[in-house]
Amino acid sequence: MAFTPLEEGFEFVPIKTESDIVRSRKVIRTLASKMGFRLTDVTRIVTAASELARNIYKYADQGQMCYRELQINGKLWLELVFEDQGPGIEDVEMAMGEGYSSSGSLGLGLPGTKRLVDEMEIESEAGVGTRITLRKKV
Amino acid sequence: MYEGSISVIKIRNVLLVTVPPDPDDELINQLQERVLQILDQSKAKGVIMDISTVDILDSFFAHTLVETAKMIALMGGRTIISGMNPSVAVTATQLGLTFGDIDTELDVDSALDRMEASED
């Protein structure tokens, strides 16, 4: 069992070390600014990317951030996919509940990240890993 | 100050800490250690963390700031965070970051005034 392969057009940043978290932020900041997001939206997207890249580093050891620009009904979107082959999220519904944090750090994570973007989807399975997709419209 | 460094300077009785725009985790951890160490050596009364240059504040950074402020309080000092930019404030609020009871000010100037006022 594995996730369905990603569609065409993605570029990716591997996430293996702590410095890859900064690297993913830089890549997304450059791309989002170039795409024409206003400053507050750039900050939202970069922060969301930072949270999910750190989750991969912290819980799955390694994975990757994939990103692409999308045209949907004449609108430009940024799509980010965070993938890992880590332990998976046991209960996605619970992890999306307010105040949940499996590391006990700040009691947040996924619900907060979701508020920073327009769309967020989570696929997770024990033994397969986790894939989180974020989308934001310019 | 080269790109990517933390600066800690003493102004009157206060330590002024500035951080680079996009600090990595290691630098954020260093910040905590350095601030506590310099606070101890300098016998300053408090710490102003100026984050006006910071354009990304994620949960890890926020968590470390709150933790550092608690440690400073244990040592007998007070902490003021100054200069959070509007985009960072919007994002931090929507992400759900909490800053405990750390005092905040618009800029370093008002933070210094507040520190001074609290000494009287």
Side-chain angles (χ1 to χ4, degrees), chain A residues 11-71:
Chain A
E11 291 184 70
F12 72 98
V13 175
I15 296 162
K16 288 182 181 152
T17 64
E18 230 168 33
S19 60
D20 292 330
I21 302 172
V22 177
R23 207 172 133 219
S24 359
R25 291 205 293 252
K26 287 210 165 96
V27 168
I28 294 309
R29 176 176 298 280
T30 308
L31 178 60
S33 308
K34 192 199 81 186
M35 286 174 69
F37 283 100
R38 59 200 180 89
L39 179 62
T40 301
D41 278 337
V42 173
T43 308
R44 285 188 178 107
I45 298 163
V46 173
T47 308
S50 187
E51 296 296 320
L52 295 186
R54 177 167 289 103
N55 280 353
I56 290 179
Y57 174 72
K58 206 156 78 174
Y59 300 115
D61 195 36
Q62 56 173 288
Q64 57 181 355
M65 175 187 78
C66 314
Y67 57 97
R68 67 170 172 176
E69 297 174 41
L70 267 185
Q71 287 281 353

Side-chain angles (χ1 to χ4, degrees), chain B residues 17 21 23 25 27 31-32 35 43 48 50 53 64 69 78 80 85 97 114:
Chain B
V17 182
D25 295 7
L27 199 83
L31 177 138
Q32 183 171 78
V35 168
K43 307 291 171 210
I48 296 171
D50 183 53
T53 52
T64 310
R78 73 176 289 201
I80 299 177
N85 80 45
L97 299 181
R114 184 134 155 210

Side-chain angles (χ1 to χ4, degrees), chain B residues 22-37:
Chain B
D22 190 0
D24 62 16
D25 295 7
E26 202 188 317
L27 199 83
I28 291 169
N29 285 327
Q30 274 174 26
L31 177 138
Q32 183 171 78
E33 267 176 54
R34 269 191 71 192
V35 168
L36 296 180
Q37 207 171 28

Side-chain angles (χ1 to χ4, degrees), chain A residues 6-11 31-32 34-35 37 66-81 118-119 121 133-138:
Chain A
L6 288 180
E7 289 171 29
E8 299 284 298
F10 279 98
E11 291 184 70
L31 178 60
K34 192 199 81 186
M35 286 174 69
F37 283 100
C66 314
Y67 57 97
R68 67 170 172 176
E69 297 174 41
L70 267 185
Q71 287 281 353
I72 304 173
N73 298 329
K75 302 272 186 204
L76 189 58
W77 290 68
L78 174 57
E79 184 174 53
L80 305 181
V81 181
D118 294 320
E119 293 176 5
E121 287 149 23
T133 306
L134 306 181
R135 276 178 226 101
K136 197 164 181 76
K137 192 168 57 180
V138 176

